[in-house]
Amino acid sequence: MTKRLLCFLLFLLPLYALAQVKISGVVRSQADRTPLEGVTVVVKETQTMVLSGKDGHFSIAAKPGQTLHFSYVGFTAQDVSVPATPDGPLQVQLPETKEKLNEVVVVGYGTQKKVNLTGAVGVVTAAKLQDRPVTNVTNALQGTVSGVTVVSSNGQPGKDNGTIRVRGIGTLNNSDPMVVVDGIISSMNDVNPNDIESISVLKDAASAAIYGSRAANGVILITTKKGKKGTAQVQYNMYVGQQKATRLPDFLPSWQAASLYNETLQNEGKPIRYTDEEIQKFKDGSDPYNYPNTDWLGLFYKGSGFQQNHYASVNGGTDKTQYMFSLGYYDQDGIVKKSDAQRYTMRFNLDTRVTDKFRVSANLAYTYNPVNEPSNPYTGDFSQLFRQINRISPIIPYKYANGHYGYIGDGSPMAWLESPSFNHLAANYLVGNTTADLEIVKGLHLRPTLGYRLITDQNKKFLSDIQYYNAQGTPTLYQGPNSLTDHDDQTRVVTLQGVIDYGKTWGDHNFKILGGYSQEYTKYSELEGYRKGFLNNSLSELNAGPTDGQKATGYGYEVALQSFFGRVNYDYKGKYLLEGNLRYDASSRFASDNRWGLFPSVSAGWRVSEESFFEPLKNTVSNLKVRASWGQLGNQNLDAIVDADGNKLGVYPYITSVSAGQNYSFNNTIAAGVAPTKGANAAITWETTTETDFGIDAGFLHDALNVSADYFIKNTDNILLNVPVSSTYGLTAPIQNAGSVQNKGFEISADYHNHVGDFTYSVGANTAFIRNKVTDLHGTGPIISGVTYKQVGEPINSFYGYQATGIFQTQDEVDKHATQSGGKIAPGDIAYKDQNNDGVIDGNDRVYLGSYFPKMTYGINLGLGWKGIDVSAFFQGAAGVKGYVEGEVLGQTSNGAGKPTSALLDRWTPENHSTAFPRLWSTYTQNDALQTPSSFWVRNANYLRLKNLQIGYNLPAAWLHAVRLQKVRFYYSGQNIWTHTAFYSWIDPEAPAGERGYTYPQVKVNTLGLNVTF
């Protein structure tokens, strides 16, 4: 019997060896045993591939005797043989490559080893972006990179892009950074955040000079995900969420609005409007049509606020060809009805090795982004609805008893919202590029690239007419006629570039040289048609409108750039690092004599930790590098400068051009004509930014703690702007090289990660202190615009007005003070400082009042993990920033067009000598924040915001075996869920400077999501 059993077991043994088994385990860092997420695990014999999860766990099907290959960026790959009889989960440890020498960072026209960088480059990985309910890449960057300031002041679906500033406001016109996606100059609108592999921000001149002509405001390099060798891997990510306004104005009910209006009239010596009996009717609601208490915000903010995101991708490939294909769908309904946006995306990335010396890669991406918003027949824009809803008093009924809309002098916001008026916008982005890589001889590569970008925008706006009636049903105000505007524009950009680079090592000397040529051609065109007086508000096609009064307009331009560039890198033993860049650019925006600009840079680094004398410190300070750089960058982007008709003056500002429509009367007959209207200046040339940077990078405790710090000075000269000219000039002011700006500051970032058993934790923080000021305005200034101005010695667009010294408490104080205007000055009014001591408060007494650009920005990342559970929190904030609020959202008193906020409750009265708010006003202007800007209304707008909170759970790998899944993660993610600020409690601290209530509110979002990997 024993012999038979033994023979039977021997017979089964080879069958067992042929059977696949599920091999599971955990991959950790050998240095600190931290679980590693995203490690590629491949069965060498079958090329089956999986990725380790957040807790380092993996599970893969393999046969005994086969080999598992583990690889991860920054770590040495390991091979592990599958045992015949697995004894529990595999415990795999990957040693770090010496100081992670394999870790690379994307830089201009290539990559560099991180340890060899001599410039200031900030990096954001896909892990920092994933699962956040952000609608665009711009907002995803907020708080993630030191020295990069992102202000998000708008929550409207499809229009909530933040404003990015790299190391301050670099110029007096367009300060947007240059964006490059997969090597082609592009836009963040072209990219689905889920498709991003990494983002590099080139902050200093040394790292950005290779892009020369458009790099003065920084460069953002976006690299999208590529295919990986192995069997096809399918991923599906989704979330659903709900939006809510972070803050809304704190308006008072109608009875208080009526009482405060009475007080206002008394302050101006006028009879009161409402009796005590009428105020009581407002208060008790006994007559809701004649004495209503209308909750206008409640009526207006009734959008669902629902949003959802779905993303699916597949990637894989062989040794020769790898691919990545993705589809994305994003849908966002606004918190205001009829406001919504969708985004449909597709991306296909392909890399193939044709021969051992020839590779070809191609990227194709398409985005369709429709946006809908309501409009109005009064001004034709969405923002007016916000102003009107923040302006119309609760004493005005939503509708009268007869069903007609209540309204004020310029209409009803609810009549506008519920009318057939609409504004439909649809943007299409098609981006494609293909690159070849030919190795001519060993180390010498030629890489030609052809890129094409097509952007089409369609805008269809219909404004219905509205007839208003009074409570008796008699027609009163009419807003119309109805009209339709169809606008279509198209931008085509063709990019051709060629790069050749060569790398060689001679002993301890390492050289790399790169040279290239680039040319870019852009053609823009637009057409617009307009008709009015449609038969009814159901017709919304141009051909359905009468031809009487119709308009047809068109516009177009072409611009081109041509560039030569080069870079040289040298290092000795990986210790002494040197880099030089040179770019020679030509722009068609300038005359031929001033067309070319030369932009050089040089940087050096010393890896102190590689010196022999540093060896005793290595266990504590594992990495230490000091670096310095100097360089010059250019700017020729003048798209922000437009004329009264919206035409871009910066296209060809050196050419004298003529404009149509300059008609003239001859013998009482109008003759069509053309004439010059825009001033030209053939002498203009490039803006030039010169930047010096000193930095240090350090790693401690085997790189568990990493710190990077930089100090920089950035001077921009020859800024292109419209300097005011005398009215006798007769033409639009020509663009001149007429300004200078300086930004200087200090930035630091640090991150630490560790573990205790199965518990992992990480802390990361970054901060930047930046001082911005105008250093030259070509003898002009101040240049005033509302409550802001540009003036030498002060930050760009600083607040400008009168310095308030307090509130007059007695008539004696008024009598002894300098003469003020704006109404009858009395106790309770704001007192202003007589700066020049001439006894009169006038425009000459206005001074600098602060800046809306923060002196300090910061971000904090916290992460915790334990056995499949992960928690992360991301805080972001700003300090040294001022805010200014005026008009509607500050609070007003009126009989219809204006309503009070809770700020007015602590106003000055004869019984309450408050210093928080002056006495109330209506037609007087001495206290008005809009008519008389002053420091009284400048507020501390520092804030700390919990930008994102995530709580996730990864299902155990053992549970997923039966259904053949690699990873399943459920999570909660909240965006903008908590804010601490000393600013007005009902106004978001990131609201635009001089906010009056025209802006779509910032939103907080709570989402539930799912990630599945097949």
Side-chain angles (χ1 to χ4, degrees), residues 46 130 192 267 312 394 542 554 675 782 784 880 938:
T46 65
Q130 70 179 17
N192 185 326
N267 288 342
L542 273 181
I784 304 169
V938 175

Side-chain angles (χ1 to χ4, degrees), residues 15 120 250 315 378 431 750 767 822 848 857 919 971:
L15 295 179
D250 184 17
N315 79 81
Y378 179 53
V431 183
T767 187
Y848 165 77
T857 58
R919 68 176 182 140
Y971 67 91

Side-chain angles (χ1 to χ4, degrees), residues 25 130 251 323 331 369 741-742 746 755 763 827 867 924 1006:
Q130 70 179 17
F251 292 123
Y323 60 88
D331 177 49
N369 185 196
V741 169
Q742 182 185 81
F746 174 75
H755 79 102
V763 180
K867 293 186 176 181
Y924 288 179
N1006 291 285

Side-chain angles (χ1 to χ4, degrees), residues 41-49 60 229-232 317-319:
V41 186
V42 179
V43 181
K44 278 192 169 183
E45 289 77 5
T46 65
Q47 290 299 301
T48 303
M49 182 193 75
I60 192 168
K229 183 175 64 175
T231 55
T318 64
D319 288 334

Side-chain angles (χ1 to χ4, degrees), residues 43-88:
V43 181
K44 278 192 169 183
E45 289 77 5
T46 65
Q47 290 299 301
T48 303
M49 182 193 75
V50 298
L51 297 176
S52 62
K54 274 204 169 184
D55 52 4
H57 281 280
F58 70 92
S59 178
I60 192 168
K63 295 178 181 179
Q66 291 182 331
T67 301
L68 302 183
H69 181 75
F70 297 82
S71 60
Y72 192 59
V73 172
F75 292 81
T76 301
Q78 296 282 79
D79 287 339
V80 176
S81 179
V82 177
T85 54
D87 185 18

Side-chain angles (χ1 to χ4, degrees), residues 562-623:
Q562 189 176 32
S563 309
F564 298 91
F565 53 88
R567 178 170 61 217
V568 176
N569 294 90
Y570 167 76
D571 73 79
Y572 175 69
K573 289 187 176 181
K575 292 191 294 187
Y576 311 113
L577 315 170
L578 186 65
E579 179 179 308
N581 292 275
L582 193 66
R583 178 128 180 168
Y584 194 43
D585 280 316
S587 170
S588 64
R589 295 177 189 260
F590 304 127
S592 56
D593 291 342
N594 302 310
R595 184 157 293 170
W596 289 90
L598 184 65
F599 306 102
S601 77
V602 63
S603 59
W606 177 27
R607 296 186 63 209
V608 184
S609 54
E610 294 304 292
E611 299 289 358
S612 57
F613 65 78
F614 201 83
E615 199 63 33
L617 300 175
K618 277 298 202 59
N619 286 333
T620 303
V621 184
S622 46
N623 178 45

